[in-house]
Amino acid sequence: MDFFNPQIHLGGLTQAPSNPVLAVQINQDKNFAFLEFRSVDETTQAMAFDGLIFQGQSLKIRRPHKCQPLPGMSENPSGYVPGIPPTLGTPPVSCGPPRPLSPPPGVVSTMVPDSAHKLFIGGLLNYLNDDQVKELLTSFEPLKAFSLVKDSATGLSKGYAFCEYVDINVTNQGRA
């Protein structure tokens, strides 16, 4: 709570002056936590912090697997504007509104959605870590999203990653 509440306030993503995170349950053995928010809208806004660095690690923020868009609806709204709830004009999901499409400036999401702008990067050496690959990729343009695929048993890279650039023109150049 001490980390998320100030971050959400700084991002202007709250609906009221008090703290949006009501409770936190942390499982340190398995490296995950559950956060409880006071509203569905603030929960959705907090999804924009996927990729935020906390204690030297990039956070992976997800909804529970049972939260899916309603049939025939897209999970991603048309865009993200800080301070404006993304639920306006967005399709419903079974457990609340969908997450914002873009994280706040400077935050690289760890979830690369399937789209025409998603790039596959193959042939990577398996000893390269997330930061090293991101450093290479950001030499072209800032990243919107990045995911290095790793072996679950060893934690080593499988030699490929997915990314999306903030500027879609860079995506098109990367394909050339």
Side-chain angles (χ1 to χ4, degrees), residues 69-70 72-78 86-93 96-98:
L70 293 175
M73 298 291 184
S74 168
E75 182 177 353
N76 294 319
S78 59
T87 56
L88 300 175
T90 61
V93 293

Side-chain angles (χ1 to χ4, degrees), residues 80-100:
Y80 171 81
V81 179
I84 298 177
T87 56
L88 300 175
T90 61
V93 293
S94 60
C95 65
R99 64 172 287 179

